[in-house]
Structures are given as C-alpha cells and as structure tokens.
C-alpha cells in the first residue's frame, strides 16, 4: 500500500489541475485575468488554512520564522504559475497544457532537481528529458499544421 500513496497524491493533484484548467479556460471572458487569478488564489489559500490542522501543527510564527524565504519563493512561483496558466488557457485553450507539462518536467527536473538540490539522475531520467523535448517539438509542429 505504501507504494500506492504517491499515485494517490498525484491523482489528487491531477484532479485539482484539471479543475484549475477548466476554471482558467472559463475565465477567458473575464475582463481582468489578474483579478481572476487573485480571487482563485484567495480561495486556494483559504482552503489551505482550513485544512492545515489536519496535516500537522499550526504555528504561523514558527512557519514564517523558519521558512520565510522559501514561503516568498514559493508564493512568487505560484503567482507565475497562476499567471501563466491564466494567459495560456484563456487565450489558447487547455490543449496547450502539454507544453506546460513538458516544460515543467524539464525545468523542475534539471533546474530544481539536478542543479539546486543535487538529486541523482540516471539514464532513464536523461532519456525522459530527451523525449520531453521531442514532445514539445512535435506538438509545435502539430499546432502549425492546424
């Protein structure tokens, strides 16, 4: 069962991502995309605070004191993710998600995992990165043919 938990957590994230993509696409007629992003982020933050006690101790002061820089970094990253998704989905549609997914795999694996965190990378990871790059190229070619 322990080996299945990552799949369960990934499924939760995937369902959330699908909901997020649908909401972003439906925001295409919103006059201000950043207002939409901010309001959806507010809902996410409220839900995170509501469910935080279920995950562990809630000590706001200690969290900020011990992890303030990481909180700012993550918050800025979340903003860029929200902003990018909003523009991508509202203007181009959810089918463009493949571009985000592949570029995210590459940036997260190479930049975060390998360069910053010094995580080990084996031949399968390297092949996955090459295949990911090929996917972006093929998708771009396919889009040009439509």
């Amino acid at each position: 069962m322990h080996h299945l938990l990552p799949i369960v957590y990934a499924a939760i994230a995937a369902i959330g991502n699908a909901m997020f993509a649908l909401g972003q696409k439906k925001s295409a007629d919103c006059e201000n995309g950043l207002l939409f992003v901010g309001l959806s982020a507010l809902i996410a933050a409220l839900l995170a605070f509501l469910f935080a006690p279920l995950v562990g101790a809630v000590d706001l002061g200690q969290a900020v004191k011990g992890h303030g820089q990481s909180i700012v970094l993550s918050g800025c990253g979340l903003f860029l993710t929200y902003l990018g998704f909003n523009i991508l989905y509202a203007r181009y549609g959810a089918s463009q998600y493949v571009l985000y997914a592949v570029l995210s795999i590459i940036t997260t694996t190479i930049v975060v995992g390998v360069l910053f965190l010094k995580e080990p990378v084996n031949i399968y990871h390297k092949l996955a990165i090459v295949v990911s790059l090929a996917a972006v190229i093929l998708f771009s070619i396919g889009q040009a043919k439509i």
Side-chain angles (χ1 to χ4, degrees):
M1 178 65 178
H2 185 267
H3 297 292
L4 295 178
L5 286 178
I7 296 171
V8 171
Y9 299 144
I12 292 169
I15 291 166
N17 187 70
M19 293 167 63
F20 183 76
L22 182 60
Q24 292 292 311
K25 179 58 182 167
K26 290 189 174 276
S27 78
D29 60 348
C30 185
E31 292 179 6
N32 187 330
L34 280 179
L35 180 62
F36 181 90
V37 165
L39 291 171
S40 66
L42 180 63
I43 297 297
L46 291 172
L47 288 170
F49 285 121
L50 181 67
F51 283 86
L54 300 175
V55 180
V58 178
D59 186 346
L60 186 61
Q62 181 59 33
V64 172
K65 182 179 175 185
H67 306 284
Q69 289 179 335
S70 295
I71 290 169
V72 171
L73 179 65
S74 293
C76 291
L78 189 58
F79 167 74
L80 290 175
T81 302
Y82 271 10
L83 178 64
F85 273 141
N86 182 263
I87 294 168
L88 181 67
Y89 292 158
R91 294 185 184 172
Y92 302 100
S95 65
Q96 301 294 316
Y97 179 79
V98 70
L99 293 175
Y100 159 76
V102 172
L103 293 173
S104 181
I105 289 168
I106 293 168
T107 57
T108 304
T109 301
I110 295 173
V111 177
V112 175
V114 175
L115 297 178
F116 283 104
L117 301 177
K118 309 294 187 219
E119 295 177 349
V121 178
N122 61 36
I123 187 66
Y124 297 104
H125 296 119
K126 292 175 185 174
L127 288 172
I129 291 167
V130 170
V131 171
S132 296
L133 289 170
V136 169
I137 293 166
L138 290 172
F139 186 83
S140 297
I141 293 169
Q143 285 300 105
K145 303 287 184 189
I146 293 178

